[in-house]
């Protein structure tokens, strides 16, 4: 992407997390403490970095904001980089995911403003409807606890499985009470789910990864999350204590502007929904 650095999951798998963070550059660390420097924001490539780059190229200069966007393809590094000051903010996640991350990692990340929702969907290269899934079909689901639970709740809401009463944001396949099609679940890193579509019968895919894979959630998903009362809106986040950074306040205002809403509506045609 323009003016952005991509860190891939392959780098992380190779055990180069520290190098990956240092690749953000010392300016990233400075940006978290020196409010006169650029605000460096870690973001998933789609749609988060695209939305940020729209702000950078069309709105930031007039607002007096020096914005730098750094892309990450995983769901861990943006938070750890925000926690250690390598970046000043991040934009990629929802509240259940952040709550789980802070609890398990001991981080102190807090939301600033909710910007959009990416509906989670079930996709397939082999069937045209969820009803057409055969007995014993294999379904790929994200392997992080919150997104796996979210995927299972999507399947439950559409009558494909039934979860046990009272399961929360850590539900796993072991919490399935009824599985009439005897579905098998393949747990994969969230970014890998769209790539698995030729190998499994269907996959539950996060909205950003669906768009990157040229899937159109609004038309291609067999079943799709409802936007009504949805707790999974994606937000701008910072380390606790940095909410009053004037650069963060400027970006929060720009991200919830009429111009950004129009950009989201026009570019994503219902596959990404503005939450303001």
């Amino acid at each position: 992407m323009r003016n952005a650095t991509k860190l891939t999951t392959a780098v992380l798998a190779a055990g180069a997390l520290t190098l990956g963070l240092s690749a953000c550059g010392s300016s990233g660390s400075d940006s978290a403490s020196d409010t006169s420097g650029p605000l460096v924001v870690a973001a998933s490539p789609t749609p988060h970095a695209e939305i940020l780059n729209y702000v950078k190229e069309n709105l930031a200069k007039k607002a007096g904001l020096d914005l730098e966007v750094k892309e990450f393809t995983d769901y861990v590094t943006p938070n750890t980089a925000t926690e250690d000051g390598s970046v000043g903010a991040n934009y990629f996640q929802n509240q259940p995911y952040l709550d789980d991350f802070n609890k398990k990692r001991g981080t102190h990340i807090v939301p600033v403003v909710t910007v959009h929702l990416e509906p989670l969907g079930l996709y397939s290269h082999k069937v045209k409807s969820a009803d057409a899934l055969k007995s014993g079909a294999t379904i790929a689901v994200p392997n992080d606890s919150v997104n796996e639970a979210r995927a299972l709740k999507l399947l439950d809401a559409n009558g494909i499985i039934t979860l046990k009463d009272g399961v929360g944001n850590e539900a796993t396949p072991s919490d399935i009470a009824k599985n009439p099609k005897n579905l098998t679940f393949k747990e994969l890193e969230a970014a890998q789910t769209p790539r698995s579509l030729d190998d499994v019968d269907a996959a539950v895919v996060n909205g950003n990864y669906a768009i990157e894979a040229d899937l159109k959630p609004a038309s291609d998903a067999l079943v799709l999350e409802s936007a009504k009362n949805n707790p999974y809106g994606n937000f701008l986040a910072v380390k606790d204590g940095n909410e009053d950074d004037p650069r963060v306040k400027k970006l929060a205002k720009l991200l919830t502007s009429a111009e950004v809403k129009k950009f989201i509506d026009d570019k994503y045609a219902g596959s990404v929904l503005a939450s303001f």
Side-chain angles (χ1 to χ4, degrees), residues 26-216:
S26 59
S27 62
S29 179
D30 292 343
S31 75
S33 57
D34 177 10
T35 60
S36 65
L39 178 63
V40 183
V41 183
S44 297
T46 306
H48 309 79
E50 293 175 346
I51 294 170
L52 287 169
N53 278 320
Y54 170 80
V55 170
K56 177 183 174 70
E57 294 166 10
N58 296 277
L59 306 175
K61 184 176 180 180
K62 184 177 180 179
L65 175 64
D66 187 358
L67 179 63
E68 183 177 345
V69 183
K70 290 194 176 294
E71 294 183 18
F72 295 81
T73 61
D74 73 293
Y75 285 169
V76 175
T77 318
N79 274 337
T80 56
T82 303
E83 179 75 11
D84 70 19
S86 298
V87 300
N90 68 56
Y91 174 33
F92 78 101
Q93 65 192 317
N94 57 56
Q95 191 68 60
Y97 179 84
L98 176 59
D99 290 344
D100 182 73
F101 192 97
N102 279 334
K103 179 180 178 181
K104 291 181 176 177
R105 302 266 180 163
T107 47
H108 309 85
I109 312 301
V110 296
V112 176
V113 65
T114 301
V115 181
H116 77 268
L117 171 72
E118 303 159 25
L120 195 76
L122 177 69
Y123 301 85
S124 178
H125 285 171
K126 299 178 180 178
V127 299
K128 299 297 185 182
S129 70
D131 290 341
L133 288 168
K134 296 180 180 179
S135 179
T138 298
I139 310 297
V141 294
N143 65 1
D144 65 272
S145 58
V146 170
N147 281 302
E148 182 170 50
R150 186 180 175 189
L152 295 174
K153 288 179 179 180
L154 172 69
L155 300 180
D156 175 89
N158 286 276
I160 299 169
I161 60 170
T162 301
L163 291 171
K164 297 175 183 176
D165 290 340
V167 296
N169 291 325
E170 295 184 357
T172 70
S174 66
D175 294 305
I176 296 173
K178 296 180 181 179
N179 185 1
K181 289 182 178 284
N182 296 311
L183 302 174
T184 298
F185 295 91
K186 186 173 183 178
E187 298 166 304
L188 299 172
E189 184 181 355
Q192 300 297 323
T193 54
R195 303 171 197 170
S196 74
L197 282 169
D198 289 331
D199 302 315
V200 298
D201 296 288
V204 180
V205 183
N206 289 74
N208 60 316
Y209 293 133
I211 296 167
E212 287 177 24
D214 293 326
L215 296 168
K216 296 179 176 60

